[in-house]
Each structure stands twice: as C-alpha cells, then as structure tokens.
Amino acid sequence: MASLPETMKALVVESPGQPLTLKTVPTPSATPGSCIVKILVVQADDKTPHIIKGIPGYTFPPNFVPAAHAIGRVVATGPDATTLRAGQLVMLEGFIRARDDPNDVQILWGITAGLTPESVQFMADNWAMGCMAEYVRAPLENCYPLDEKRLCGSPADGGLGYALEDLLQLPTQLVAMGGLRAIDVKPGERVIVAPATGAFSGAAVQVAVAMGAEVVAMARNRVLLDKVQGMFPAGRVHVVPITGDVEADTAALKQWGPVDAYIDLSPPAASESTHIRSCFPALKKYGRACLMSIISHDVAVPYTLLTWNSLTIKGQFMYERDDARLLIKMAETGVLKLGKEGGNEVVGRFKLEEVEEAFAVATKNPEVGKLVVIEP
Ligand SMILES: NC(=O)c1ccc[n+]([C@@H]2O[C@H](COP(=O)([O-])OP(=O)(O)OC[C@H]3O[C@@H](n4cnc5c(N)ncnc54)[C@H](OP(=O)(O)O)[C@@H]3O)[C@@H](O)[C@H]2O)c1
C-alpha cells in the first residue's frame, strides 16, 4: 500500500456562520471499520452554503468538512475490511448509522448531525470530516465498490464509457431508490412523482423509469416538466402541471389509467401546495404512497378515502444498503442511464480553491440532473 502524504487540503468550517476555509490538515489514517478514500470528484450542492451558515434543525460539530456525495479510490483499509482493497473505485454516500444503535443514532455525513445528543456526539467524535478534501476516512459501510471497467471502460471493450463525474448522480438517485423500493414499485406500474423537477424528485423520475415504471411527473413549471419528459423515450413519462384546482389535477393524473403508487419529495415551500391533495385521490384501490419530505408542519390526508381505497402510506428517510447495491447494479447493467444519456449535465468543474464559484453555479442550477463537480 502506497504511503499517504502527512497532510492534505480540506475545506473546513470551524462553526456555523464561519466561512468555509481551505486548510492544510493531517491526512486521516484507516481505523477499524473504516478506509481512506482519495476523493476524485465530489458534488457541490446548492444547499451546503445554507447549512454552513446555520439552518434550524441542522447541526454540525467544530471543524466540519462538508459533503458526502463523492466518487473516489480506496487508498488504505482498516484491519477488518474484507472485500474493499486499495485501488478499488467506490461510490460514497452519507447516511451513517451507529453500528451499535443503527435505528436511533443516525447522521447525514457532511450535512447534519441531527438533533439528539447521541447523534451530535457520534458525528463530533467520528465523522466531522466529509468529502470536500483530498482524502477522507469513510465508514466501510458507506463505500460501495463500482465496476470501473464496465462503467468507465470504452464501449469497444464492453464498457459504458462514463466519465467519473457521471457517476456522481448515483448518491442522489439512491435517496429516490429508497423511497421507490419502500413502496415496492414494480416494472409496468404507473407511478406519480410529485414534485418531479428538483434534484431528488427528478432523480425519482430517473430511477422509476429505470425500474420499469411509467411515470406521471407533476410540478408547477411546465418548461421544466417538458425537459424532464424529454430525457426519456416517448410514453415513459407523462407530465401534469399543478394548476391549483385539486379535482381537475386529480383527473389529469388519472388520464393515462389507474395509478399504482405515488412518491412525494416536496420541498418545505410546497407544504401548502394542492398537489398533495390531488395525488391521494388519483391512486387506485390498494395504491401505495411514499412520503419523503422534511416539512415543518402537519399536512392533512383524506382519511376516509384512505379507508375506502385501502391505501398504504409509507414514510421513508433515506435508504437501505441493499438499495445502494441494487442501484449500482442497475447502472452497471445499463438499465439506469447516467451521464448525458440519462438526462444529466455537468454544469461546472472546480478545484477546492474555487468552492465559492462552485456554489454560485450550483445555486443557479438546482434542478434535476445538473451536477457541479469539485475535483480536489
Ligand atoms: N426522506 C429523505 O431521505 C430525503 C432525502 C433528501 C431530500 N428529501 C426531501 O426532498 C425534498 C426535495 O428536494 P429536491 O432537491 O428534489 O427539490 P427542491 O430543490 O428542494 O425543490 C424543487 C422542487 O419542488 C417544486 N416546488 C418548489 N416550490 C414549490 C411549491 N411552493 N409548490 C409546489 N412545488 C414546489 C419544484 O417544482 P416547481 O417549482 O415547478 O413546482 C421542484 O420540482 C427536500 O426538500 C427534502 O425535504 C428527503
């Protein structure tokens, strides 16, 4: 195993409200349960500048390094790694669960420690440093091997010809995968995705199509909806603009036939949107709904309709490890299209030194498939 440099560059925030500063810090070393990954590409997310400033409900420890959506190469492993080896290309994702209390101590690495004293302590003691750095110490569980030859090899050699940055859409799609699998979406089913044009909700359209579903995509902005529809072969995605007329929108959602499932990834701003009231009545008898939003107040549901139609509502936070493995297999087989073929576009490439420019471009491009990439 090649020896690592003693120090590395990392973007560090000392505490909420302080600037994100490029610092030279000690390169981490591999400990039991972890490995060291050289970051090749990491996503600059439009929400990170707000998190760094301090958003109620989001906490992070001192000397925090943001971001967890990254593609990297393993350079060192802890003694208990059994399959990960130096040289392996991996996808990194940020849902870390404490090994001895996985249901109650959970953090979003590079985003927030959550609100319980246990999760705040867990992040501070172990995972304060995320992926906006040259190297990261990552939990073994959050590193997923990628078949580099298949994904990035040339088509002449049986590869899919993706650039590393194309693989950065996978961690966002993984959130959608968690929701779609939580309600057991199957090939051939008709699924409402609402809204459908944000980074995560648009990813739900991409993953649902790859799973073999027919998607009814709903949002307010018709131009963006048409763009989403244009990413896919004819007939795979229908669009319904939100008009605010609940009954008319329900009828529009049902115009292609019975709807089996509905996944909701609304932003907090959409909590008063009429789309939620339109989507439940659009579901067929025994239909399933997955609610994935982080909305600060309660949203009414049509109680009697749920009863009459034997509907199932499932809440879903993040995903399971099997969801990640299956998503990667879908990309490797080619059913889940990445890169331009999947409707994605890299709209900026930056170095760690240029992070503010990277955030500025990300803020102007918050919608589905737009990636801003930092190459440390
Ligand atoms: N459960 C989980 O594990 C998990 C993980 C990640 C994210 N999330 C949730 O996913 C949400 C969505 O994230 P995102 O990145 O996809 O999108 P986003 O950028 O937060 O929101 C953009 C989407 O919401 C729609 N929208 C915005 N304001 C609206 C309003 N007032 N009424 C109706 N629609 C509105 C937009 O379409 P139009 O403007 O065209 O309507 C667009 O489709 C997050 O806010 C978070 O709550 C959940």
Side-chain angles (χ1 to χ4, degrees):
M1 225 175 260
S3 65
L4 294 175
E6 280 184 16
T7 59
M8 65 167 191
K9 286 187 285 180
L11 286 162
V12 182
V13 197
E14 280 181 14
S15 57
Q18 295 299 305
L20 187 59
T21 310
L22 190 63
K23 289 195 173 171
T24 300
V25 299
T27 306
S29 55
T31 51
S34 75
C35 63
I36 304 301
V37 176
K38 182 174 170 48
I39 300 298
L40 301 175
V41 283
V42 53
Q43 186 179 0
D45 188 282
D46 64 314
K47 294 169 185 92
T48 305
H50 304 289
I51 291 167
I52 291 167
K53 278 187 200 139
I55 309 180
Y58 286 72
T59 59
F60 58 81
N63 299 315
F64 170 72
V65 176
H69 287 190
I71 303 296
R73 197 172 297 288
V74 176
V75 289
T77 54
D80 52 347
T82 57
T83 52
L84 286 172
R85 293 281 175 265
Q88 173 67 55
L89 189 72
V90 288
M91 175 191 85
L92 296 171
E93 54 77 21
F95 185 30
I96 302 182
R97 284 156 271 197
R99 293 186 178 118
D100 54 351
D101 196 358
N103 291 342
D104 291 327
V105 182
Q106 306 182 333
I107 61 166
L108 296 179
W109 191 29
I111 299 178
T112 177
L115 291 173
T116 70
E118 292 80 8
S119 64
V120 168
Q121 194 67 44
F122 176 64
M123 190 184 224
D125 290 348
N126 302 282
W127 309 113
M129 297 179 78
C131 294
M132 285 202 168
E134 290 180 288
Y135 295 91
V136 73
R137 174 164 47 218
L140 294 173
E141 294 92 333
N142 294 66
C143 297
Y144 290 84
L146 298 170
D147 183 341
E148 189 170 2
K149 190 162 178 271
R150 170 68 176 155
L151 290 165
C152 301
S154 96
D157 296 331
L160 292 162
Y162 292 132
L164 289 175
E165 61 197 28
D166 296 331
L167 311 181
L168 261 187
Q169 183 66 354
L170 286 168
T172 302
Q173 289 172 329
L174 178 51
V175 170
M177 183 78 167
L180 292 163
R181 288 195 81 206
I183 49 170
D184 193 22
V185 167
K186 296 187 233 7
E189 287 195 319
R190 189 170 293 117
V191 181
I192 297 171
V193 178
T197 56
F200 288 100
S201 57
V205 179
Q206 295 174 324
V207 176
V209 169
M211 290 170 102
E214 179 184 326
V215 171
V216 182
M218 191 180 209
R220 294 171 306 174
N221 183 328
R222 179 74 204 223
V223 175
L224 277 182
L225 276 176
D226 289 345
K227 265 198 199 171
V228 170
Q229 189 177 38
M231 292 176 180
F232 305 98
R236 298 303 306 279
V237 175
H238 312 291
V239 301
V240 173
I242 302 170
T243 67
D245 179 334
V246 175
E247 283 172 21
D249 289 352
T250 299
L253 288 164
K254 297 201 295 192
Q255 69 185 284
W256 295 278
V259 177
D260 301 282
Y262 154 43
I263 181 167
D264 192 284
L265 276 150
S266 295
S271 61
E272 302 290 343
S273 172
T274 53
H275 77 268
I276 302 172
R277 280 188 283 138
S278 301
C279 289
F280 281 112
L283 283 170
K284 70 170 200 187
K285 195 136 190 159
Y286 301 109
R288 299 98 66 198
C290 182
L291 303 185
M292 293 194 78
S293 293
I294 317 293
I295 289 181
S296 58
H297 60 269
D298 294 347
V299 172
V301 294
Y303 193 128
T304 304
L305 180 97
L306 297 184
T307 307
W308 280 120
N309 285 351
S310 302
L311 300 183
T312 301
I313 300 183
K314 172 84 172 72
Q316 182 67 24
F317 181 59
M318 302 303 273
Y319 38 77
E320 301 302 326
R321 300 197 70 215
D322 276 349
D323 299 333
R325 293 191 193 97
L326 189 60
L327 183 80
I328 290 168
K329 279 197 251 179
M330 285 165 62
E332 289 171 350
T333 55
V335 291
L336 175 67
K337 311 283 182 210
L338 301 175
K340 282 199 183 107
E341 213 189 336
N344 306 300
E345 182 190 0
V346 175
V347 291
R349 288 179 194 81
F350 299 92
K351 305 304 287 180
L352 286 172
E353 291 77 358
E354 303 165 318
V355 69
E356 294 307 330
E357 290 96 312
F359 285 146
V361 175
T363 301
K364 284 191 192 134
N365 291 277
E367 69 258 21
V368 52
K370 299 279 166 99
L371 286 165
V372 178
V373 175
I374 293 184
E375 296 164 306

